[in-house]
Amino acid sequence: MAILRKCMCWTVQDGAWVSAVWTLVTSIISFIMFFVDLADFAGKSWGLPQWPFAFDVDWRMHVWKGFLACDIVMLVANILLIMAAALVMHGLKKMTIDRAILACKWFCVIMALYEPVELGIVIYMFSWYGANIWRFVWQVWWFMFWLIRFFVNIFAALCIYSRAQELMYDIAFMYGEEPEHRGPEMAPLTLEMKVNRMTSSKC
């Protein structure tokens, strides 16, 4: 049985799609934020609105190596998460069921690695801000963005994992066995073929 049977007011199928879109959009935003922060260390101006101490690096130059490492790690992590979310979006619409299941599982693996890394890095970075988190617009935005995204990402991973479980049970229902036990003579089914077969079986 899938972990989730419903995703708020959506089915798990729709919820998994929305979760992938959420992850893709927020990961792009996170990538931009860390990239701009990294750009300030390089001394480049991108013509973006600057709030007081928004991207100021002078006060943290004594720990610049730590912040620089955090920016680089999160840039790579966000690229991986963007790719995973895009793969799930494509897999749920265009791929065969087996590959869609694999895409969902890879997404969950990457998310399981991403969340602890992000948690540790954000705790490190905001430990230097201290009480200044609530004094400047940029720090408040970044902190609230991360806090909300952290918990929603966990729910998104559960939703996508539940969709993978649903697809596995659909295959087991159609073939009477688990997907990994299917013979090579059984051609992979697309999601459209799955829907057609299940619809025809109810008639």
Side-chain angles (χ1 to χ4, degrees):
M1 180 179 296
I3 295 177
L4 300 177
R5 302 302 298 273
K6 295 280 291 184
C7 179
M8 294 184 289
C9 59
W10 300 305
T11 63
V12 173
Q13 179 179 358
D14 294 334
W17 172 260
V18 173
S19 297
V21 173
W22 157 269
T23 305
L24 179 66
V25 173
T26 56
S27 296
I28 292 175
I29 295 174
S30 179
F31 177 87
I32 293 174
M33 291 161 60
F34 280 103
F35 181 78
V36 172
D37 193 57
L38 181 64
D40 271 4
F41 277 107
K44 296 180 179 179
S45 175
W46 295 89
L48 299 175
Q50 297 289 302
W51 294 286
F53 298 99
F55 296 101
D56 188 10
V57 297
D58 293 336
W59 67 270
R60 46 182 175 159
M61 287 308 294
H62 63 293
V63 289
W64 69 271
K65 292 182 179 179
F67 275 87
L68 185 63
C70 290
D71 288 339
I72 294 175
V73 170
M74 288 308 300
L75 285 176
V76 175
N78 279 301
I79 289 175
L80 293 176
L81 199 56
I82 289 171
M83 294 172 60
L87 182 63
V88 169
M89 293 173 62
H90 177 70
L92 293 178
K93 293 294 184 180
K94 300 295 184 180
M95 291 183 179
T96 60
I97 299 180
D98 289 349
R99 292 183 178 180
I101 293 172
L102 186 61
C104 291
K105 288 185 175 181
W106 271 111
F107 175 91
C108 294
V109 170
I110 293 175
M111 182 66 80
L113 297 174
Y114 179 91
E115 289 290 87
V117 171
E118 184 187 45
L119 178 63
I121 285 179
V122 170
I123 289 176
Y124 170 81
M125 295 180 69
F126 281 107
S127 66
W128 288 103
Y129 288 108
N132 289 328
I133 294 175
W134 309 109
R135 293 181 58 192
F136 305 111
V137 176
W138 176 253
Q139 279 82 355
V140 174
W141 148 253
W142 198 335
F143 181 77
M144 295 306 298
F145 172 80
W146 167 78
L147 187 64
I148 295 172
R149 180 171 179 254
F150 179 81
F151 291 105
V152 176
N153 277 354
I154 295 175
F155 181 78
L158 290 176
C159 189
I160 291 176
Y161 178 79
S162 297
R163 181 55 183 160
Q165 292 294 101
E166 277 192 349
L167 293 176
M168 291 179 65
Y169 292 134
D170 287 343
I171 293 179
F173 171 76
M174 287 185 290
Y175 291 112
E177 53 186 341
E178 294 299 323
E180 58 269 20
H181 296 152
R182 289 167 50 197
E185 70 281 358
M186 296 182 180
L189 299 178
T190 62
L191 294 179
E192 290 77 13
M193 293 170 62
K194 174 186 76 69
V195 173
N196 292 336
R197 290 194 59 171
M198 294 187 68
T199 303
S200 61
S201 65
K202 295 179 181 179
C203 297

